[in-house]
Amino acid sequence: MRHPPPMISISHDRMAARGDQVPVLRLRGDIDLATRPAVDAALTVRLARRPRLLVVDLTHVGFVGACGLTMLVQARQRARGAGGEVAVAGCGVAVLRAMEVTCLLGEISPYATVADALVAEARGGIPQQRQP
Protein backbone atom coordinates (compact mmCIF):
# COMPACT_ATOMS: atom_id res chain seq x y z
CA MET A 1 0.00 0.00 0.00
CA ARG A 2 1.31 3.44 -0.92
CA HIS A 3 1.33 6.13 1.72
CA PRO A 4 0.48 9.70 0.77
CA PRO A 5 3.39 12.13 0.72
CA PRO A 6 3.96 14.12 3.90
CA MET A 7 2.07 17.36 3.91
CA ILE A 8 3.13 20.65 5.33
CA SER A 9 1.94 23.99 4.07
CA ILE A 10 4.31 26.91 4.51
CA SER A 11 3.44 30.52 3.85
CA HIS A 12 5.42 33.68 4.40
CA ASP A 13 3.77 36.83 5.64
CA ARG A 14 4.74 40.18 7.11
CA MET A 15 3.00 42.05 9.88
CA ALA A 16 3.59 45.55 11.20
CA ALA A 17 5.21 46.03 14.58
CA ARG A 18 6.78 49.25 15.82
CA GLY A 19 6.89 50.68 12.30
CA ASP A 20 8.71 47.67 10.85
CA GLN A 21 7.49 44.67 8.93
CA VAL A 22 8.04 41.50 10.96
CA PRO A 23 8.28 38.25 8.98
CA VAL A 24 5.78 35.58 9.99
CA LEU A 25 6.28 31.97 8.94
CA ARG A 26 2.87 30.28 8.97
CA LEU A 27 2.84 26.49 9.08
CA ARG A 28 -0.07 24.12 8.52
CA GLY A 29 0.14 20.36 9.03
CA ASP A 30 2.50 18.25 11.11
CA ILE A 31 6.20 18.77 11.73
CA ASP A 32 7.95 15.42 11.83
CA LEU A 33 10.91 13.68 10.20
CA ALA A 34 9.20 13.72 6.81
CA THR A 35 8.33 17.42 6.80
CA ARG A 36 11.29 18.75 8.77
CA PRO A 37 13.47 19.46 5.69
CA ALA A 38 10.86 21.76 4.17
CA VAL A 39 10.29 23.64 7.44
CA ASP A 40 14.02 23.91 8.10
CA ALA A 41 14.59 25.30 4.60
CA ALA A 42 11.88 27.93 5.15
CA LEU A 43 13.41 28.91 8.50
CA THR A 44 16.87 29.12 6.94
CA VAL A 45 15.64 31.41 4.15
CA ARG A 46 13.95 33.74 6.63
CA LEU A 47 16.84 33.77 9.09
CA ALA A 48 19.36 34.47 6.31
CA ARG A 49 17.74 37.90 6.00
CA ARG A 50 18.71 38.54 9.64
CA PRO A 51 15.37 39.85 10.88
CA ARG A 52 15.20 41.44 14.29
CA LEU A 53 12.25 39.11 14.94
CA LEU A 54 10.83 36.10 13.12
CA VAL A 55 7.45 34.81 14.31
CA VAL A 56 6.69 31.14 13.66
CA ASP A 57 2.92 30.63 13.66
CA LEU A 58 1.93 27.09 14.68
CA THR A 59 -1.79 27.77 14.95
CA HIS A 60 -2.60 25.13 12.32
CA VAL A 61 0.02 22.58 13.35
CA GLY A 62 -1.42 19.51 15.02
CA PHE A 63 1.79 17.68 15.87
CA VAL A 64 5.43 18.59 16.36
CA GLY A 65 7.84 15.71 16.82
CA ALA A 66 11.06 15.91 18.79
CA CYS A 67 12.98 16.72 15.61
CA GLY A 68 10.67 19.69 14.98
CA LEU A 69 11.06 20.96 18.53
CA THR A 70 14.84 20.70 18.26
CA MET A 71 14.68 22.59 14.96
CA LEU A 72 12.75 25.44 16.60
CA VAL A 73 15.28 25.68 19.42
CA GLN A 74 18.15 25.69 16.91
CA ALA A 75 16.44 28.38 14.83
CA ARG A 76 16.10 30.51 17.93
CA GLN A 77 19.79 30.01 18.74
CA ARG A 78 20.79 30.96 15.16
CA ALA A 79 18.65 34.09 15.31
CA ARG A 80 20.09 35.11 18.67
CA GLY A 81 23.60 34.59 17.33
CA ALA A 82 22.81 37.15 14.63
CA GLY A 83 21.24 39.60 17.09
CA GLY A 84 17.63 38.60 16.43
CA GLU A 85 14.93 36.46 17.97
CA VAL A 86 12.47 33.76 17.00
CA ALA A 87 9.06 33.84 18.67
CA VAL A 88 6.74 30.84 18.48
CA ALA A 89 3.00 31.50 18.56
CA GLY A 90 -0.34 29.75 18.35
CA CYS A 91 0.54 26.33 19.75
CA GLY A 92 -2.32 23.93 20.28
CA VAL A 93 -2.67 21.64 23.27
CA ALA A 94 -0.84 18.71 21.63
CA VAL A 95 2.09 20.91 20.61
CA LEU A 96 2.31 22.48 24.06
CA ARG A 97 2.25 19.01 25.62
CA ALA A 98 5.12 17.90 23.36
CA MET A 99 7.12 20.92 24.49
CA GLU A 100 6.32 20.14 28.10
CA VAL A 101 7.28 16.44 28.05
CA THR A 102 10.57 17.21 26.27
CA CYS A 103 11.36 19.96 28.80
CA LEU A 104 11.50 22.55 26.00
CA LEU A 105 8.46 24.58 27.03
CA GLY A 106 10.67 26.95 29.00
CA GLU A 107 13.18 27.19 26.17
CA ILE A 108 10.61 27.89 23.45
CA SER A 109 8.05 29.73 25.65
CA PRO A 110 5.33 30.27 23.05
CA TYR A 111 2.92 33.16 22.78
CA ALA A 112 -0.80 32.46 22.56
CA THR A 113 -1.11 34.33 19.25
CA VAL A 114 0.99 36.06 16.61
CA ALA A 115 -0.56 39.33 17.77
CA ASP A 116 0.75 38.72 21.30
CA ALA A 117 4.27 38.25 19.95
CA LEU A 118 3.99 41.45 17.89
CA VAL A 119 2.67 43.42 20.88
CA ALA A 120 5.66 42.25 22.92
CA GLU A 121 7.96 43.37 20.09
CA ALA A 122 6.23 46.74 19.89
CA ARG A 123 6.85 47.18 23.63
CA GLY A 124 10.57 46.95 23.17
CA GLY A 125 11.57 43.46 22.27
CA ILE A 126 11.22 39.91 23.38
CA PRO A 127 13.90 39.19 25.95
CA GLN A 128 11.62 36.77 27.79
CA GLN A 129 8.68 35.18 26.07
CA ARG A 130 5.71 34.26 28.12
CA GLN A 131 3.64 31.12 28.14
CA PRO A 132 0.06 31.27 26.91
Side-chain angles (χ1 to χ4, degrees), residues 47 50-51 73-86:
L47 291 174
R50 300 177 79 120
V73 170
Q74 291 170 341
R76 192 166 184 212
Q77 290 169 345
R78 285 187 308 207
R80 284 180 170 176
E85 182 63 82
V86 170

Side-chain angles (χ1 to χ4, degrees), residues 54-69:
L54 169 63
V55 179
V56 180
D57 181 5
L58 302 180
T59 301
H60 299 287
V61 171
F63 171 81
V64 177
C67 65
L69 295 173

Side-chain angles (χ1 to χ4, degrees), residues 1-76:
M1 172 168 46
R2 297 186 83 194
H3 295 283
M7 297 298 297
I8 187 85
S9 173
I10 301 169
S11 61
H12 300 271
D13 199 357
R14 289 192 166 273
M15 301 199 63
R18 214 171 22 152
D20 291 331
Q21 294 292 310
V22 174
V24 179
L25 185 64
R26 297 186 190 276
L27 305 174
R28 180 182 296 269
D30 293 336
I31 304 172
D32 54 24
L33 282 173
T35 60
R36 181 180 187 214
V39 176
D40 193 41
L43 284 166
T44 298
V45 166
R46 281 296 185 184
L47 291 174
R49 296 177 184 159
R50 300 177 79 120
R52 184 181 67 230
L53 172 65
L54 169 63
V55 179
V56 180
D57 181 5
L58 302 180
T59 301
H60 299 287
V61 171
F63 171 81
V64 177
C67 65
L69 295 173
T70 300
M71 178 182 51
L72 290 172
V73 170
Q74 291 170 341
R76 192 166 184 212

Side-chain angles (χ1 to χ4, degrees), residues 97-120:
R97 180 71 178 133
M99 290 177 189
E100 182 181 38
V101 299
T102 57
C103 299
L104 292 176
L105 190 56
E107 176 67 26
I108 297 173
S109 302
Y111 287 93
T113 67
V114 171
D116 288 341
L118 295 175
V119 165

